[in-house]
Structures are given as structure tokens and as C-alpha cells.
Amino acid sequence: MLVQVGKRYVSEQRDIDPLFAKSMLELLSRSKVFRDTHEEFIRDLIVACTRREYPVNRYLMEEGMKGDSMFVLFNGIVEVTAGGRYICKLKDGSIIGETALLNIDNRRTASVRSLSKCDVAIISRFSFHSILEKYPWEKRKFQREMKHKLMELGKLIDVKDDINLEQQATQCDALKSVPFFSDPSDAMHEFVAELAMNTSTYWYKPGTVLMKEGDINCEEMYILLRGSCEVYSCGQLLGRIENDVIGEIGVLDLLERRTATVQTATACQCMKLSRQVMVPILAKYPDARLRLLELARTRLTSINESIMTSQEDLSGTAMQDLCGRLPGCAIGFGPYVNSADASMFAINPIFQDAPIPLVHALSDRLVD
């Protein structure tokens, strides 16, 4: 809370420069973003903001980079460019990057460079959403604006009454940490943002079976964000997976039954997506659908090769040539190592990338 005591503005955290506080209150009250909000809400934003000075020729933000804050240009001049083209110059009182507070897909759409020494107030997305929790009217206002924008872009499969903007943005960032979604293309970026709007996150304790081989219930797929899972097919441990997509074969309707059993080896945080949600989203993003189909094809091929080949069929020469993991099968050892030993080796980072002949030889020498 920001209060005026005599000629000073005081917060619980620190004293606020009165000229700065007064100017910020006027600037934010006039802006389109905060025009209809209560004064106390704006005062709390002023308390939460941080001031920073930028020397000449420094970037406040760069196009395409991740953004999680809004800038209020208190004093100075900046140049705005996009796609390598000059857009405009902004001076004292300008608000820059406000979409980062509301937008789930929080990439910067322009670059902003200082042309003179700039005094800037920065409001982070975390602070903004924390303050929103104290002001129900403002929270509903920004939720309506965000929902309207998403509806215009066709990014909501089911219209939700209560969109938690900070949570959705966090989920978007979490998805991008998974290698499958790390493609920097615009199409993948839009795909990830839409998934974040239509998914839920769950925690599973160790030993939970997420999918069971042969099960005809193929209506859901998972995105493993934290933790690791063990994958079994035909009783053989294929290995452990981390930061990966699970269950895409069933959701894509390539097979009628689950091809493997997936069980959590540690506490796992997963996003769960139903076929009902995935099918219409994939229909809008053909490149993402092809990418998912290619992942499913690679895994089906690898699983088929691993269960068709037995240890007894491997000659000594073939064993020496087998180095690395089976493509598409995480960090497992296929049928080449005893299942119990393979599980032990898969847990240990030292052996996860070891050549299969070495792990096979160690397994043969283990004493029960």
C-alpha cells in the first residue's frame, strides 16, 4: 500500500520519491491499460515497481525474446523497431511492453533501444498478478480483456469463466522447456500457447501407472515436465523418460490399444491433455501434428525392433556394434540387458549414455 504522509509517499517496504510517485500515478491513470482501475490498485503497482537507469544505446527489450515485465518511460527517449524496420520514437510518459503482463505467449513483438539516458519504472508480471489477487474488480477486468483477445485469435477451445493469467503463462514457459516444444518457429509458439490455455497440471507420486500396455482407453496423453517415468513393453524395460511427451500414439488414433506401460519412477509433474482437446488444436496446426506423428512413428518402429530382437539372437559382433540408445525409446537398453539390471542402470546418470555392450557386460557380472 502506498500512502501519503505529509509531503512523502511511504510504503511498507521503502520510501517512494514523491515526484516519481505522483508522476507515475498520473501516467498510469491516463493509460489505456489502467484507465478504469481504482487508484489504490495503481498505488500498489507503484510500490511494487523498480526503477532502473539505462545508458544510451542499450536495449530495454529485444524482438522475439521472452518478456515478463512492463516498462514506464519516466524520463528519456527510445526507438522502437520490428522486423528490422523503424517504427517510432517514444519519450517521457510512454508505456512499453504492457502485453507481457496479459499475454500468455510472452515473446516481445518489437525491440526498444535507448537513444538517450533513460529513467524507467519496471512492473513485473509476477508483481502485477500478485496485486490483482487483492482487487477482484480489476482481476475480472483483465481476465475479460484477455479472454476477449484469445477468442478473437481462436485460442480458446472451452471458454473459461476464470482465466488465471499468471498460471497460464507459467504453463507456457514450462511447455517450452520440453525438447519437443523447443522449436522457435512462430507456428510452434502459437501451438504451445494454445496448449497452455487448454491443459491442466497434476502431480503423481512414485509408482503411479499413467498408462498400461494393452489398455483400450487411449483418450489422454501426458507431457512430463518434472520427474522421470519408466517405460515397459512386453515385460521389457525400455528405459526412463524425462521432459517428454507420453501417449501420443493413442491420442493420434494410430492404434486401438496402448503400446507400453508407463509408470512414474519419481514424483512427477505432468500436463494432461484429452483427445477431445488435442484433435481440434492439432487440426489448426498441421506442422505440429506432423511433428507429433513423426515422434509416434519413430517410437512405434523402435518398440517393434526392441521386442522382435532377443538377446539370444545377438552375435558377438552385433553386440559390439550396439552403442547408444534405441531411437525414440528414451534412455533404455531394449531387450539387451536383464530387466532388473536395466532399471538400476537407467537410474544412474553415469550409465544412462553408456554403450550397450558395456552395460550388458556389467549386467552379466553382477552377483545377485
Side-chain angles (χ1 to χ4, degrees), residues 69-87:
S69 56
M70 180 189 84
F71 297 84
V72 180
L73 186 57
F74 190 60
N75 188 12
I77 302 174
V78 297
E79 178 186 68
V80 182
T81 59
R85 299 176 59 186
Y86 170 81
I87 303 299

Side-chain angles (χ1 to χ4, degrees), residues 120-217:
V120 176
I122 304 173
I123 301 174
S124 72
R125 189 171 61 190
F126 176 80
S127 297
F128 175 73
H129 288 284
S130 297
I131 294 170
L132 270 185
E133 295 301 317
K134 296 164 38 181
Y135 296 92
W137 190 92
E138 279 75 11
K139 182 178 180 181
R140 288 194 297 270
K141 164 187 161 63
F142 287 113
Q143 285 175 340
R144 284 194 301 269
E145 289 183 6
M146 186 60 186
K147 186 157 63 174
H148 178 69
K149 181 178 180 181
L150 290 169
M151 290 297 293
E152 284 182 344
L153 297 174
K155 285 189 177 181
L156 276 180
I157 300 301
D158 296 313
V159 178
K160 302 170 184 176
D161 294 328
D162 185 20
I163 302 174
N164 188 323
L165 303 178
E166 178 64 16
Q167 179 183 344
Q168 305 303 334
T170 301
Q171 290 189 163
C172 188
D173 292 343
L175 280 169
K176 291 174 186 175
S177 69
V178 176
F180 179 82
F181 300 104
S182 61
D183 184 349
S185 67
D186 289 340
M188 180 57 74
H189 226 76
E190 291 292 315
F191 177 61
V192 168
E194 186 150 354
L195 287 183
M197 284 299 303
N198 294 279
T199 187
S200 300
T201 304
Y202 301 90
W203 279 96
Y204 298 94
K205 62 183 180 180
T208 303
V209 176
L210 300 180
M211 301 186 312
K212 190 170 181 61
E213 184 177 6
D215 194 349
I216 60 173
N217 180 15

Side-chain angles (χ1 to χ4, degrees), residues 6 30 63-64 78 84 95 155 182 202 210 221 238 262 292 351:
R30 289 199 308 264
E63 184 178 5
V78 297
I95 294 179
K155 285 189 177 181
S182 61
Y202 301 90
L210 300 180
M221 63 177 284
L238 299 182
V262 179
L292 198 61
F351 297 105

Side-chain angles (χ1 to χ4, degrees), residues 89-109:
K89 289 181 181 178
L90 299 174
K91 57 181 182 179
D92 302 1
S94 299
I95 294 179
I96 312 164
E98 67 277 9
T99 54
L101 300 184
L102 296 177
N103 203 349
I104 291 170
D105 181 11
N106 55 2
R107 284 192 307 172
R108 298 297 192 187
T109 57

Side-chain angles (χ1 to χ4, degrees), residues 116-355:
S116 67
K117 183 178 178 180
C118 293
D119 184 4
V120 176
I122 304 173
I123 301 174
S124 72
R125 189 171 61 190
F126 176 80
S127 297
F128 175 73
H129 288 284
S130 297
I131 294 170
L132 270 185
E133 295 301 317
K134 296 164 38 181
Y135 296 92
W137 190 92
E138 279 75 11
K139 182 178 180 181
R140 288 194 297 270
K141 164 187 161 63
F142 287 113
Q143 285 175 340
R144 284 194 301 269
E145 289 183 6
M146 186 60 186
K147 186 157 63 174
H148 178 69
K149 181 178 180 181
L150 290 169
M151 290 297 293
E152 284 182 344
L153 297 174
K155 285 189 177 181
L156 276 180
I157 300 301
D158 296 313
V159 178
K160 302 170 184 176
D161 294 328
D162 185 20
I163 302 174
N164 188 323
L165 303 178
E166 178 64 16
Q167 179 183 344
Q168 305 303 334
T170 301
Q171 290 189 163
C172 188
D173 292 343
L175 280 169
K176 291 174 186 175
S177 69
V178 176
F180 179 82
F181 300 104
S182 61
D183 184 349
S185 67
D186 289 340
M188 180 57 74
H189 226 76
E190 291 292 315
F191 177 61
V192 168
E194 186 150 354
L195 287 183
M197 284 299 303
N198 294 279
T199 187
S200 300
T201 304
Y202 301 90
W203 279 96
Y204 298 94
K205 62 183 180 180
T208 303
V209 176
L210 300 180
M211 301 186 312
K212 190 170 181 61
E213 184 177 6
D215 194 349
I216 60 173
N217 180 15
C218 303
E219 294 297 317
E220 295 171 336
M221 63 177 284
Y222 300 84
I223 301 168
L224 181 57
L225 303 177
R226 295 182 182 178
S228 60
C229 294
E230 291 185 340
V231 183
Y232 297 86
S233 184
C234 296
Q236 300 170 1
L237 174 70
L238 299 182
R240 286 195 168 199
I241 54 175
E242 299 173 351
N243 295 107
D244 214 336
V245 178
I246 312 169
E248 75 288 344
I249 294 173
V251 168
L252 289 170
D253 210 17
L254 300 180
L255 292 174
E256 295 181 353
R257 296 176 181 271
R258 296 290 192 187
T259 58
T261 295
V262 179
Q263 179 175 311
T264 58
T266 65
C268 291
Q269 182 186 21
C270 299
M271 288 184 181
K272 185 160 66 171
L273 290 152
S274 68
R275 179 185 291 174
Q276 183 181 3
V277 168
M278 282 299 296
V279 168
I281 293 178
L282 289 172
K284 293 166 59 179
Y285 299 95
D287 290 345
R289 186 174 186 275
L290 288 174
R291 187 180 174 91
L292 198 61
L293 281 169
E294 179 60 23
L295 174 65
R297 185 194 67 78
T298 303
R299 285 179 168 171
L300 282 171
T301 302
S302 299
I303 290 173
N304 184 61
E305 289 177 355
S306 69
I307 63 178
M308 293 297 292
T309 308
S310 65
Q311 278 184 307
E312 291 74 22
D313 295 332
L314 295 172
S315 65
T317 303
M319 276 297 297
Q320 294 303 317
D321 293 338
L322 287 169
C323 294
R325 307 285 75 85
L326 291 166
C329 284
I331 51 177
F333 305 97
Y336 311 120
V337 180
N338 175 275
S339 181
D341 295 344
S343 181
M344 178 183 66
F345 287 128
I347 295 172
N348 195 317
I350 296 175
F351 297 105
Q352 287 175 359
D353 296 319

